[in-house]
Amino acid sequence: MPAFNPINAMRRWNTAQWQTFALRAAIGLCVASLVPALQGPHNLAVMAQPLVHSPSFARKARDLGTFRWSSVTVEKGQTVSEIFERLGLSSKTLHQLLTNEAAKQSFRKIRDGDLIDFEINGYDQLRTVRFDKSDLEQVTLTLNNGEVSEQILTRQLEKRLQVASGDISSSLYADGKRAGIDASVVNQVANVFKYDIDFVEDLRKGDSFQVVFEQTFLEGKPYRQGHILAASFTNRGKKLSAYRYNHDGREEYFDADGRPLRKVLLRIPIEFARLSSTFGMRKHPVLGRMRAHKGVDYAARTGTPIMAAGDGRIELAGWKNGYGKTVII
């Protein structure tokens, strides 16, 4: 029997047999090329790396989930809803915050120029809102699964004693400011010595004052000036002293000998007004002729408090021709 010769056999194939052979050969080549890939996981990992393990893709994914702080200064006429819209936060988020009554009350304290801090991630999801309710209180609102919690941080004030002194060259207000005391402390100086000094008529250049007062500090910076604990005022060469003391539950001022500075009558019933007309003969402002002026006139802004010179009984409180609105004691 002659040996089998594949070449001669292939020569005798018809067209159908050749097509079958070509199809099987193609399938075999495909299988042969896939086997190494299936056996080598490193090659598959390299092919998938740009989609799964790309550093830039992973960084972007982390950024979207990371919460970061943004600060907004409230502009004039701007509403909270407008601020949320500007930051890309949904109205639903604002509604969730406002369902908390404490949060709603805190938002009402926000004013033009206030600074609000927002903690937001890359998906425009809000976690925290923080702002100052007042100089001494900071509010933090935290949103967690639709629930709102409020935390209030109270800043502590530090109290110190301060000493200021100065000479009168123009006015008590101007010279007090130059010495480092504000209007509230100047008013206290005037009130302390108002039974002995007429700060409209009695002041002279060269008069001097010294004040010991309370000064509060907020986070190391001067915040507010408080009560006067001691003071002295030299007027026309005469020195007056005052010391604050709690007497029968009331804070009063006494001199160096322990006598109260409060007297029966005030020297002047109004603070820092201008003396516009003195007692005695003067030219009448309406009639234009000389007449006796039986009083003293002070000019001040509308709404300036007027004090009674002493205790007494009210005889008239109303309108009096020639005087206008009048109180007679």
Side-chain angles (χ1 to χ4, degrees):
M1 182 177 180
F4 176 74
N5 189 339
I7 301 299
N8 295 330
M10 292 175 64
R11 287 175 181 171
R12 294 191 295 269
W13 284 355
N14 56 28
T15 303
Q17 289 175 318
W18 275 108
Q19 289 177 345
T20 301
F21 174 79
L23 179 61
R24 290 178 178 178
I27 293 173
L29 289 174
C30 289
V31 172
S33 64
L34 284 175
V35 169
L38 293 173
Q39 293 177 345
H42 178 72
N43 292 334
L44 289 177
V46 171
M47 293 173 63
Q49 186 174 358
L51 296 176
V52 179
H53 300 289
S54 168
S56 60
F57 179 85
R59 182 168 56 252
K60 289 178 182 178
R62 287 196 303 270
D63 290 346
L64 287 173
T66 300
F67 283 88
R68 296 182 179 180
W69 286 98
S70 298
S71 299
V72 175
T73 301
V74 181
E75 300 174 358
K76 186 176 181 179
Q78 192 174 34
T79 64
V80 176
S81 60
E82 290 173 345
I83 295 175
F84 270 61
E85 184 179 356
R86 171 182 165 185
L87 293 174
L89 299 173
S90 67
S91 57
K92 179 182 177 181
T93 301
L94 177 59
H95 177 72
Q96 288 176 332
L97 287 174
L98 295 181
T99 54
N100 183 285
E101 188 62 30
K104 185 189 297 184
Q105 294 298 326
S106 296
F107 270 125
R108 290 176 179 172
K109 301 291 183 180
I110 296 175
R111 295 293 182 268
D112 299 343
D114 288 351
L115 186 69
I116 310 178
D117 297 323
F118 295 85
E119 192 180 18
I120 311 170
N121 67 5
Y123 296 105
D124 293 334
Q125 294 173 331
L126 177 67
R127 179 162 66 184
T128 311
V129 182
R130 184 176 62 201
F131 57 90
D132 289 341
K133 186 175 182 180
S134 65
D135 292 340
L136 302 181
E137 291 182 325
Q138 184 185 71
V139 177
T140 300
L141 303 174
T142 304
L143 188 61
N144 186 16
N145 294 328
E147 297 293 328
V148 182
S149 60
E150 181 185 49
Q151 181 181 8
I152 298 180
L153 173 65
T154 302
R155 300 184 178 96
Q156 299 299 318
L157 290 176
E158 179 188 359
K159 187 180 292 184
R160 306 177 196 171
L161 291 183
Q162 300 286 96
V163 180
S165 61
D167 296 325
I168 299 298
S169 60
S170 57
S171 70
L172 184 58
Y173 266 116
D175 297 318
K177 183 178 180 180
R178 208 166 9 250
I181 57 178
D182 61 24
S184 66
V185 176
V186 172
N187 285 332
Q188 290 182 66
V189 172
N191 283 327
V192 167
F193 296 111
K194 65 186 177 184
Y195 295 95
D196 297 289
I197 303 175
D198 182 341
F199 284 94
V200 177
E201 287 291 299
D202 293 346
L203 285 189
R204 296 291 184 272
K205 285 186 177 182
D207 289 353
S208 60
F209 60 88
Q210 287 185 320
V211 187
V212 180
F213 60 96
E214 296 174 339
Q215 170 77 64
T216 54
F217 288 79
L218 178 61
E219 297 178 346
K221 298 179 181 180
Y223 177 66
R224 184 174 296 165
Q225 295 180 359
H227 296 299
I228 289 178
L229 302 183
S232 66
F233 203 102
T234 302
N235 175 237
R236 300 185 182 186
K238 181 182 178 181
K239 184 176 181 179
L240 302 171
S241 299
Y243 301 91
R244 183 181 174 91
Y245 181 73
N246 189 306
H247 177 64
D248 294 335
R250 292 181 58 185
E251 298 290 343
E252 296 185 28
Y253 290 92
F254 299 82
D255 64 15
D257 297 323
R259 293 189 297 265
L261 295 184
R262 182 183 179 87
K263 296 179 174 60
V264 176
L265 296 177
L266 298 177
R267 286 295 307 276
I268 179 173
I270 188 171
E271 296 177 357
F272 307 113
R274 176 176 58 86
L275 183 63
S276 58
S277 185
T278 59
F279 183 90
M281 296 299 294
R282 69 168 185 176
K283 186 177 182 180
H284 197 280
V286 177
L287 302 177
R289 62 175 181 264
M290 296 299 294
R291 289 187 61 177
H293 184 226
K294 301 177 181 180
V296 177
D297 294 345
Y298 292 97
R301 292 181 178 180
T302 300
T304 300
I306 302 174
M307 298 167 285
D311 293 337
R313 183 185 300 275
I314 303 296
E315 291 186 357
L316 174 68
W319 184 270
K320 184 175 177 62
N321 291 335
Y323 293 94
K325 293 181 179 179
T326 305
V327 177
I328 297 179
I329 303 175

